[in-house]
Structures are given as C-alpha cells and as structure tokens.
Amino acid sequence: MTTSLAEHYSEILVGVGENPEREGLLDTPKRAAKAMQYLCNGYTMSLEELINGALFESQNDEMVIVRDIELYSLCEHHMLPFIGKAHVAYIPTGRVLGLSKVARVVDMFARRLQIQENLTKQIADAIQHITDAAGVAVVIEAKHMCMMMRGVGKQNSVMTSSVMLGAFRESSSTRHEFLQLIGRQG
C-alpha cells in the first residue's frame, strides 16, 4: 500500500468535516487505501497471466454460457459501486476456456474504474481474443449506487447493457437462443 494513498484519505476525512485523529477513524485512511487498491486490482492483471493456458481442445461448437457471474465495480464518474451480474456466452471453434476463467475475466475488468457500457465491451472483446470464438455475447445487469445514494435517488432501477459479436450479432436466432437461456425475452 502506498502511504500517499492513505494520506489522501486522511485529507478527504478533513475535507468532509471529520477529525482523522478521532478514535474510530485512526486507521480508516489505511483501511480505505487497502480497500481501494483491492477494488482496483484489475489494473495489475494481464489477460495472458489470468488465463494461464486454460484453453482446452474441444469438438463442441455449441453455445457455452456462464450465467449470473456476480460483479462489483466502481463507477468512474463518482467512484461509487455498481453491483450486478454478467452473463457471458461464446461459440467455440476448437477450443474452450476453463470455466473459472470466464468469471476471472469479468472480475479483471470490473476491478477498474469503469462505466458499465465499456465493461461489457471489454469482457466481450477479451473472450473473443482469447477463444477466437465464432461469436461472443455479454449481458450485464447492474444497480448503480450513484443513482441510488445520490442524484435522482432511484432505488429500483437496473441498467442492462449488452455486446454481441460474430454469430450473436449476425444471427437473430442465435441471439434469441442466448437471451432465452439467460432468462431474458429474445
């Protein structure tokens, strides 16, 4: 942990009218700095290290879906959390990706300051790059604390974003099958 990050959190406490020397806040700058480093550790990861060769030969050319991958990210505009789930699908062309690696790709990009639209695209592009799939589809559904805790204060709004590549973009029946399998109307 960098000392300067903790010092910045101490300044934030003063800036909001708190006393960083108060008993309950004595270690808060260090804890907040450690938490922020963890929440943004996606910057320290590379796709190649993350995948670590977990591609396996397969004759399967049917859709592979990993649903309901929980994700936690920070909005780059307010640095407040958005929380939701990602649904990721791809159509293999001779190789499949280790199951846990799909969730790890989601985490790698989610653990960066983000907007949901870019997060969705980054995941889709990464899965496409890794697998050379015939198509990739990603749908993310998330609640944004910047909408819930401040601003318009809408507690029940959910943002949905999607990216469809290859066969999912070109074939309405493939796209429809994916959307049905993740429980969305096609």
Side-chain angles (χ1 to χ4, degrees), residues 62-104:
E62 297 293 328
M63 193 181 305
V64 174
I65 301 173
V66 183
R67 288 181 30 174
D68 299 324
I69 303 167
E70 64 229 21
L71 68 86
Y72 308 91
S73 193
L74 293 174
C75 158
E76 68 185 34
H77 298 139
H78 302 101
M79 293 178 64
L80 290 172
F82 63 94
I83 300 165
K85 55 188 173 181
H87 313 290
V88 179
Y90 67 99
I91 300 173
T93 56
R95 297 184 305 171
V96 294
L97 184 59
L99 176 61
S100 71
K101 300 304 181 181
V102 176
R104 291 182 191 276

Side-chain angles (χ1 to χ4, degrees), residues 134-151:
V136 174
V138 178
V139 171
I140 295 178
E141 302 164 302
K143 289 187 165 215
H144 291 250
M145 296 300 131
C146 57
M147 289 254 314
M148 297 169 74
M149 295 175 66
R150 58 164 304 284

Side-chain angles (χ1 to χ4, degrees), residues 15-134:
V16 299
E18 263 295 353
N19 174 7
E21 301 302 316
R22 182 166 64 78
E23 181 184 8
L25 296 176
L26 283 175
D27 290 329
T28 296
K30 289 181 209 163
R31 286 191 300 264
K34 282 178 78 173
M36 185 57 75
Q37 285 181 317
Y38 176 77
L39 294 172
C40 293
N41 70 8
Y43 292 116
T44 63
M45 299 177 186
S46 80
L47 198 54
E48 290 71 29
E49 289 173 343
L50 185 90
I51 300 306
N52 194 26
L55 281 169
F56 307 101
E57 286 187 34
S58 175
Q59 298 307 310
N60 179 40
D61 61 358
E62 297 293 328
M63 193 181 305
V64 174
I65 301 173
V66 183
R67 288 181 30 174
D68 299 324
I69 303 167
E70 64 229 21
L71 68 86
Y72 308 91
S73 193
L74 293 174
C75 158
E76 68 185 34
H77 298 139
H78 302 101
M79 293 178 64
L80 290 172
F82 63 94
I83 300 165
K85 55 188 173 181
H87 313 290
V88 179
Y90 67 99
I91 300 173
T93 56
R95 297 184 305 171
V96 294
L97 184 59
L99 176 61
S100 71
K101 300 304 181 181
V102 176
R104 291 182 191 276
V105 168
V106 170
D107 282 346
M108 182 180 86
F109 290 110
R111 294 219 170 119
R112 298 175 182 188
L113 298 178
Q114 280 289 10
I115 62 172
Q116 183 175 329
E117 299 90 335
N118 291 349
L119 174 59
T120 310
K121 178 120 175 65
Q122 290 167 350
I123 295 166
D125 288 344
I127 298 293
Q128 178 64 51
H129 173 75
I130 295 163
T131 63
D132 196 28

